[in-house]
Each structure stands twice: as C-alpha cells, then as structure tokens.
Amino acid sequence: MLIALGVTGGIGAYKAVEVARGLQKQGHEVVAIMTSSASRFVGPVTFEAITRRRVISDQWEPGANADIEHIALASTIDLLLVAPATANIIGKLANGIADDFLSTLYTATRAPVLIAPAMNTNMFAHHAVRRNLDTLAANGVRFVEPGEGYLACGWIGRGRLAEPDEIVAAAEAVLRPPGPLRGRKVLVTAGPTYEDLDPVRYVGNRSSGRMGFALAAEAARRGAVVTLIAGPTSLDPPSVHQVVRVRRAAEMHAAVLEQAGDAAVVIMAAAVADYAPEQRVNQKVHKGADTITLVLTRTPDILADLGARRLAAGTGPVLVGFAAETEDVVARAAEKLHRKHADLIVANDVSRGDAGFEVATNAVTLVSRDGVDPLPLETKVRVAAEILDRVERLLAPAEVRA
Ligand code: PMT
C-alpha cells in the first residue's frame, strides 16, 4: 500500500528514516513529505535514497502543482502517517490550517491518518496541545502514544517519539485492523431531533452530537464501515463512510430502519424526541392570547422497533441504546434494556454538569444482561472506545463471548 510519511521539525526526525525502512519491509511504498523545519534535522536526500521517490517538501517548487500534486496524492494514499508530529503540526491539523504541503494533504485526503506526537513533556501536557489532540481524535485520527524516558532536551518524562517498530506496527494495525469490526457496517445515530411548531419555532434538546460523533470516529478507527445518521448540530461530524443528516424523529426513524438492515451493529446515541407537536402550522404563530396550549403526540420509538424487528426475525444487529436519566439512572436503563430488547444500554445522568449533553466528558454506566458496569468520568472519546470494546465482545460468537 502507499503511505505518505509526513516528517516535521523535531529531533525524532532521524527516527523517521527507520520508520520508512520498516514500512518498506512490510511491503509498502513510502513517499516522504517534509516540512521546512524537518530538513533542519535530516536531509531530504536521505529519504530519497531510502524511498527512491522524490521527497515533497515545498508545494511551490516547480512541478509540484503540475497535476495539483497534493490532490493527486490525497486520492491515492492508503495512509497518512506523521512521525514525528510536533505541537505545531498538531495545532495546524486540528484547526484546518493548510499553509504547507503536509497540512494541505491532511485536509485533502480521506485516507486514515496516524500521528506520532513528539515534544517536550510540558508541551505535551499543555492544555492547547491536549485540546488539539482531542479535536483530532474526535475526527477519527489515530495516535502512536509517545514514550516515557530521556528526552533530547534533557528532560525525563513523556514526549519522546515512539520507537520506529511501534510506529510501523501501529500503521499495520490501521491498514489491516485485526478487530472484529474490520469491514463490518456500524450504524450510529447522534445529535438531537427538532420537532417544528411553525416555520420559526421547534421543540428540541441540548444534544451536541459529541457522544455519537466520538462513537462513529472510534468505530471507523477500528476499521468499521460507518454510517452516521445525525440530527442538526453545530459541530461537524467526523469523516466516515456515509453521513445522513435528518431533522425530525420521524425522519431519523425512517433513515435508521432503512440503514439497519445490513448493519452488524446499531448504536443509538441520538437524543430522539419522544413527543412532537400534533400540528405543525405553515405560518408563524403570532403573539396574541396570554397562553398557548401545545398538544404533543408520541414519536416512533426507533430502538424499540429495532428490538422488536430482531426478535421477530430471530437475528439482527447488535443493539446498543443510551439512557438519558436524571434519577434512578441504572434502574431506568435496565428497564429500557429489557423493554427494547437491546444488548447494551449506556446510561448517563444528564443532570450532572460534567456529563451528558454538550460537554466533552461523560460518566456512563454500561447496563447489559451480564450486569452493571459503572465507568469513571472521562472524555467522550475514551467512553466511545470503552463502549466499542464491549461491542466487539458482543460481536464475538456466543461460545467465545468471555
Ligand atoms: O450529543 P451530546 O451532546 O454528546 O450528548 C450525549 C447524549 C446525552 C445525548 C447521549 O449520551 C445520550 O444520552 N443519548 C440518548 C438520549 C436519549 O434520547 O435518551 P432516552 O433515554 O430518551 O432514549 C433511550 C434510547 O432510545 C436512546 O438510545 C435513544 O436514541 C432511543 N430513542 C429514544 C426516543 C425515540 N423516539 N426513539 C429512540 O430510539
């Protein structure tokens, strides 16, 4: 496969030569892309000798735009690997800055992206760098965690570029993900639904889509073919196989039932409205009476319909639901698990300020027939990984479901 190896200006750049060799030993083709500061640490000639390809270091050099090289490369690579990745390139990629060939390639490609951060310990712990890393993780970027130990700047701590063989192994895992989700269709719902009253007003909720987007990104990271059905959100969804935007619960219901037929897993993280206005008027309702009475009627229960359909058919996708509660969280989640014939309910107390709607963190309890498993407060990116670990176990054949 063709791997674009992005090399940036850190002392670990010399290790990127070993990474290139290691990737070639796995049978891959490597094209090196160097930022201007990278060549202060290792010369382009070294990479040209190893990869036997021209090193791309300046998108303005003659010929680089002949066939709009970054676009051509973006559509042909199987993986973009950035090693070492400095705080600077991490910041540029997280914020969509495209002022050199490497950052432009990142925004142009749909290939999986693997990043090996390397920097001083304090920089790696800095809130701006952590925020950028979380942004990239939420968008489906994979990481090779830096090592602990002696750093080139004389410090002892976390920030040293991972070893070349670890980086090569991580690239292999992305290109040939070993997990049970590889190549399987995973359907995820995210965000709120909006139930319109008139052309101006609607009944909605505070779901930002973060939880569902993190699940979709994590499933894609594990090699799944992800279809994401999302209600209206201000956050952009991660780049996955297919994104379907809906507005009302009825639309989400139709989209989910249409997409679930060939799915191996369905994860209902969306905050679907339980009720919608019985009447939607075509003109704006003008102020007049002191009070207005709204009649709301039940919307279709998507998860319950999926459970009933699987029960009737005797087979179907692994079903994961959520429970947004403010009291008796586990009991209500257990009730939903059985009533909706789900395999797993992810319960969260949405009355907490650091969990549930909108925030970047969540504290969930996983409720299944195997029991109740409370997880500590962590980022929604980590929560998503925990949920998918359990989904992988649920996907395993019953006899090996340890
Ligand atoms: O998007 P964020 O800002 O990150 O917030 C995350 C979240 C709080 C929205 C998420 O963690 C969450 O709790 N999602 C479920 C919200 C919800 O609708 O919970 P519920 O208890 O009302 O519904 C139970 C389950 O049934 C959910 O899986 C829901 O998707 C599903 N449902 C609900 C109503 C309906 N008509 N059809 C459904 O399928």
Side-chain angles (χ1 to χ4, degrees):
M1 297 188 184
L2 178 61
I3 299 172
L5 173 59
V7 185
T8 64
I11 187 64
Y14 76 91
K15 286 187 183 177
V17 177
E18 282 312 305
V19 171
R21 281 187 200 280
L23 294 170
Q24 289 176 324
K25 283 182 191 146
Q26 297 294 330
H28 301 300
E29 285 288 310
V30 178
V31 55
I33 297 157
M34 298 180 75
T35 59
S36 54
S37 52
S39 47
R40 294 171 185 273
F41 291 87
V42 61
V45 174
T46 307
F47 285 102
E48 282 182 352
I50 302 280
T51 63
R52 298 184 302 288
R53 284 171 176 259
R54 184 169 71 84
V55 170
I56 303 171
S57 53
D58 172 3
Q59 65 186 28
W60 308 116
E61 65 195 25
N65 292 288
D67 57 353
I68 310 291
E69 193 166 23
H70 53 272
I71 300 295
L73 200 57
S75 56
T76 51
I77 58 174
D78 299 291
L79 172 70
L80 171 57
L81 165 60
V82 184
T86 56
N88 178 50
I89 194 67
I90 288 167
K92 289 208 278 190
L93 302 188
N95 292 284
I97 293 170
D99 65 353
D100 63 8
F101 190 92
L102 178 55
S103 52
T104 304
L105 176 62
Y106 170 77
T107 54
T109 189
R110 283 289 167 267
V113 180
L114 175 65
I115 281 181
M119 63 197 78
N120 165 278
T121 305
N122 278 356
M123 290 175 70
F124 193 62
H126 192 279
H127 64 86
V129 175
R130 302 315 303 175
R131 185 181 61 235
N132 290 332
L133 289 167
D134 279 348
T135 299
L136 290 173
N139 287 323
V141 169
R142 300 122 166 112
F143 297 93
V144 193
E145 292 294 321
E148 305 258 352
Y150 182 77
L151 299 171
C153 53
W155 288 57
I156 302 284
R158 191 146 170 253
R160 188 165 49 90
L161 178 66
E163 291 309 313
D165 56 351
E166 285 178 78
I167 296 172
V168 171
E172 281 301 294
V174 172
L175 291 168
R176 292 185 256 274
L181 284 172
R182 177 185 172 193
R184 309 289 293 271
K185 179 176 180 179
V186 173
L187 175 59
V188 179
T189 67
T193 63
Y194 287 176
E195 312 303 328
D196 295 304
L197 294 166
D198 63 20
V200 172
R201 304 175 184 90
Y202 61 83
V203 179
N205 62 64
R206 292 184 293 115
S207 173
S208 64
R210 267 204 173 93
M211 188 70 252
F213 290 174
L215 283 157
E218 180 63 23
R221 254 196 290 278
R222 297 182 184 213
V225 179
V226 177
T227 292
L228 172 61
I229 299 177
T233 59
S234 52
L235 288 179
D236 289 333
S239 54
V240 294
H241 174 70
Q242 181 186 18
V243 178
V244 177
R245 298 307 307 233
V246 296
R247 181 176 175 83
R248 297 180 294 115
E251 291 168 354
M252 187 173 276
H253 180 260
V256 167
L257 292 186
E258 182 192 339
Q259 290 286 347
D262 58 345
V265 181
V266 179
I267 306 176
M268 290 289 299
V272 188
D274 287 322
Y275 290 90
E278 188 172 60
Q279 275 196 322
R280 179 192 180 286
V281 295
N282 294 327
Q283 298 304 326
K284 178 186 172 184
V285 174
H286 292 285
K287 281 191 289 290
D290 291 344
T291 60
I292 293 181
T293 301
L294 267 184
V295 177
L296 303 177
T297 55
R298 282 299 302 271
T299 60
D301 187 326
I302 305 169
L303 181 60
D305 285 0
L306 289 172
R309 188 164 80 167
R310 182 176 70 166
L311 198 62
T315 180
V318 167
L319 293 179
V320 178
F322 273 69
E325 307 297 343
T326 56
E327 58 184 350
D328 308 326
V329 177
V330 174
R332 290 172 181 273
E335 186 276 330
K336 283 176 177 161
L337 179 82
H338 295 293
R339 176 161 53 84
K340 302 192 181 198
H341 307 293
D343 297 301
L344 176 67
I345 293 287
V346 182
N348 44 186
D349 176 350
V350 294
S351 65
R352 286 178 51 159
D354 56 1
F357 292 105
E358 296 172 305
V359 291
T361 53
N362 209 352
V364 302
T365 299
L366 303 179
V367 178
S368 71
R369 286 170 184 73
D370 298 339
V372 174
D373 185 3
L375 300 185
L377 178 72
E378 48 196 349
T379 64
K380 284 178 176 174
V381 174
R382 286 294 323 140
V383 171
E386 301 264 5
I387 293 169
L388 282 159
D389 286 347
R390 280 158 183 81
V391 166
E392 289 190 344
R393 286 210 285 277
L394 286 166
L395 265 181
E399 63 274 10
V400 300
R401 204 178 287 171

